[in-house]
Amino acid sequence: MNENQLAENLIYYRKKKGLSQEKVSEYLEVSRQAVTKWETNTSRPSSDNLIKLAQLFEVDVDTLLGNKNREKSSTQGEISIGKMPWVFIGISVLCILAYIIHSTLTNIFRIGIFICMFILCIPIQLFLHIYFSNAIKNDSFNEIAGFDNKIEYNICEVKKLLTHIDLHVGILSTVYIFLLCVINGANLKMQWFNNILIVIYMLNFITSIEMSNYKMTDKIYRREDDRKRAKRSILVTVIYTLILCVGIGITCIIFEAKGIENNTLPAMKICGLLILGIMSATIGFLFENNKIKKWNPANTNYKTNKASIISLFICVIMYGFMCVV
């Protein structure tokens, strides 16, 4: 091995990641002067620091030492979304077309069902696939919800997470579109079941994404403080999602049980209370997330924001009024 190869590789991969010597030294918990000495071949990092550097630069130790070709190593480490999401998108489109043709011929076409299937397929399934594919291909994650440039991520693991979420959304959307197509194409007259399906889809969609984030937290974030904030934020998001789905579920049950029709005074009252409850829960969610971002896990224990608790209490009251209206 060329004695200068390690020093050259340290400079090469540090710049490739867009990191300064200060950032590298902070991650390794060494002085910036130590990093400078490694890059000028004045000294060499210890075995432990070599492993940490390899993790930081997302290469193996042999590549850092110059025992592997840079280009070959980077090619092997590339992550891309496969063709399976497109297969599921195609199946979803075929289900929608089948419903349109069959329901039109049998005179049972319902615009509401078509809109639901269209939204699941195009704005959600197709858009997210294109969005995630471009993010992974171009290493551009700034528009991804929750991504913060101030946080140090393991980009390779972020790509794996997006790939997993994309495939999961594809499978989930296709299954629900198929169920809507079969139930309504067969004219089973199960409007209540359609509502339940949509609520379950929303709950499954959001919680599965949050659970995937939670499972990958230790791999995605490089710093322990960021991991703790992320886990706390995910917990709050899951609770908020459950609150939304409970509100929507209560509304569907009330409409079905009492036979309430759209555009009537009772329907407007219930929907108004639902909106007030959701708005209150959203305010509490925003307050809590803002506090989590400012929280320093190293110095203070976390305490729930009082405004969030009050907002949650108001939301529960609104849901209670919905049941007695």
Side-chain angles (χ1 to χ4, degrees), residues 141-152:
F141 308 99
N142 292 331
E143 302 303 321
I144 302 294
F147 192 88
D148 188 346
N149 280 326
K150 297 178 182 178
I151 296 176
E152 292 183 23

Side-chain angles (χ1 to χ4, degrees), residues 214-263:
Y214 186 82
K215 291 177 181 178
M216 296 283 286
T217 298
D218 291 335
K219 296 180 179 179
I220 291 175
Y221 298 92
R222 297 191 184 279
R223 295 189 174 280
E224 184 61 28
D225 286 358
D226 292 330
R227 295 187 191 119
K228 290 181 178 179
R229 293 191 193 95
K231 289 180 179 179
R232 177 71 61 174
S233 180
I234 289 170
L235 177 62
V236 171
T237 303
V238 169
I239 293 173
Y240 172 69
T241 302
L242 289 173
I243 291 171
L244 295 187
C245 290
V246 166
I248 296 171
I250 291 174
T251 303
C252 293
I253 292 172
I254 292 173
F255 270 63
E256 194 66 32
K258 296 184 177 181
I260 298 174
E261 296 182 0
N262 295 331
N263 301 320

Side-chain angles (χ1 to χ4, degrees), residues 86-101:
W86 283 112
V87 173
F88 288 112
I89 290 170
I91 295 173
S92 296
V93 171
L94 289 175
C95 287
I96 295 174
L97 291 174
Y99 171 75
I100 293 173
I101 295 170

Side-chain angles (χ1 to χ4, degrees), residues 71-292:
E71 286 70 23
K72 186 179 294 185
S73 174
S74 62
T75 301
Q76 292 173 348
E78 287 182 358
I79 295 174
S80 61
I81 294 179
K83 296 180 180 179
M84 283 307 297
W86 283 112
V87 173
F88 288 112
I89 290 170
I91 295 173
S92 296
V93 171
L94 289 175
C95 287
I96 295 174
L97 291 174
Y99 171 75
I100 293 173
I101 295 170
H102 173 74
S103 60
T104 301
L105 293 174
T106 56
N107 200 30
I108 58 172
F109 179 79
R110 296 175 59 188
I111 187 66
I113 299 301
F114 168 74
I115 291 174
C116 285
M117 291 193 290
F118 178 83
I119 291 174
L120 294 183
C121 179
I122 305 303
I124 296 179
Q125 190 177 8
L126 177 60
F127 174 77
L128 283 182
H129 174 60
I130 295 174
Y131 193 61
F132 287 164
S133 296
N134 287 334
I136 292 172
K137 182 180 179 180
N138 300 318
D139 285 338
S140 177
F141 308 99
N142 292 331
E143 302 303 321
I144 302 294
F147 192 88
D148 188 346
N149 280 326
K150 297 178 182 178
I151 296 176
E152 292 183 23
Y153 295 94
N154 186 331
I155 298 299
C156 182
E157 296 300 329
V158 172
K159 291 181 178 181
K160 289 179 182 179
L161 174 63
L162 293 181
T163 301
H164 173 77
I165 291 175
D166 182 53
L167 183 59
H168 181 83
V169 170
I171 297 172
L172 182 68
S173 300
T174 300
V175 169
Y176 278 81
I177 289 171
F178 175 77
L179 289 175
L180 287 171
C181 176
V182 171
I183 292 170
N184 294 278
N187 198 23
L188 298 180
K189 297 181 180 179
M190 299 170 62
Q191 179 60 32
W192 59 272
F193 192 68
N194 291 332
N195 296 333
I196 291 176
L197 274 179
I198 297 301
V199 172
I200 294 176
Y201 174 85
M202 292 171 56
L203 183 62
N204 196 334
F205 177 83
I206 299 174
T207 54
S208 62
I209 290 176
E210 294 302 330
M211 288 306 298
S212 296
N213 272 281
Y214 186 82
K215 291 177 181 178
M216 296 283 286
T217 298
D218 291 335
K219 296 180 179 179
I220 291 175
Y221 298 92
R222 297 191 184 279
R223 295 189 174 280
E224 184 61 28
D225 286 358
D226 292 330
R227 295 187 191 119
K228 290 181 178 179
R229 293 191 193 95
K231 289 180 179 179
R232 177 71 61 174
S233 180
I234 289 170
L235 177 62
V236 171
T237 303
V238 169
I239 293 173
Y240 172 69
T241 302
L242 289 173
I243 291 171
L244 295 187
C245 290
V246 166
I248 296 171
I250 291 174
T251 303
C252 293
I253 292 172
I254 292 173
F255 270 63
E256 194 66 32
K258 296 184 177 181
I260 298 174
E261 296 182 0
N262 295 331
N263 301 320
T264 61
L265 183 59
M268 293 174 65
K269 287 182 179 179
I270 292 173
C271 289
L273 289 170
L274 174 65
I275 292 172
L276 288 175
I278 290 176
M279 286 177 60
S280 178
T282 303
I283 291 171
F285 172 74
L286 294 175
F287 271 118
E288 198 67 22
N289 257 351
N290 186 55
K291 183 174 181 178
I292 291 171

